Amino acid sequence: MNKTKLTINKNGSIKIEGEFEIVDQDGNVYGLEGRTALGLCRCGLSSNKPFCDGSHRNTFEGESKAFDLPPMKKN
């Protein structure tokens, strides 16, 4: 199984690459027309949410650096 890769772009979208399916809150599947890479909106400005349309340019600042999460809590 290939991993799906998500890249948090500096001042931009979340790029998703690989094999994936995107569903809405009701479980309805978005028709991605065979795409294996696309950008997801992170700024909330896109008129095509949840997909990035570039509306963030020059208005959104959001840089993320990788870090380790704490261990999961045991029930």
Side-chain angles (χ1 to χ4, degrees):
M1 177 173 83
N2 293 332
K3 287 186 180 181
T4 299
K5 179 180 176 183
L6 292 128
T7 303
I8 312 302
N9 291 317
K10 180 180 179 181
N11 301 330
S13 65
I14 298 171
K15 183 178 180 182
I16 182 170
E17 301 171 273
E19 291 186 30
F20 54 87
E21 178 179 75
I22 300 176
V23 298
D24 67 13
Q25 65 273 2
D26 298 319
N28 299 308
V29 178
Y30 285 89
L32 303 177
E33 302 303 322
R35 288 174 175 81
T36 58
L38 53 78
L40 297 174
C41 179
R42 190 164 66 110
C43 71
L45 299 174
S46 176
S47 61
N48 196 30
K49 287 185 218 61
F51 307 105
C52 178
D53 68 1
S55 293
H56 64 271
R57 298 213 193 305
N58 302 318
T59 60
F60 175 71
E61 292 185 19
E63 184 173 355
S64 297
K65 295 290 182 180
F67 60 91
D68 294 332
L69 292 173
M72 290 178 56
K73 295 180 181 179
K74 296 180 180 179
N75 292 332

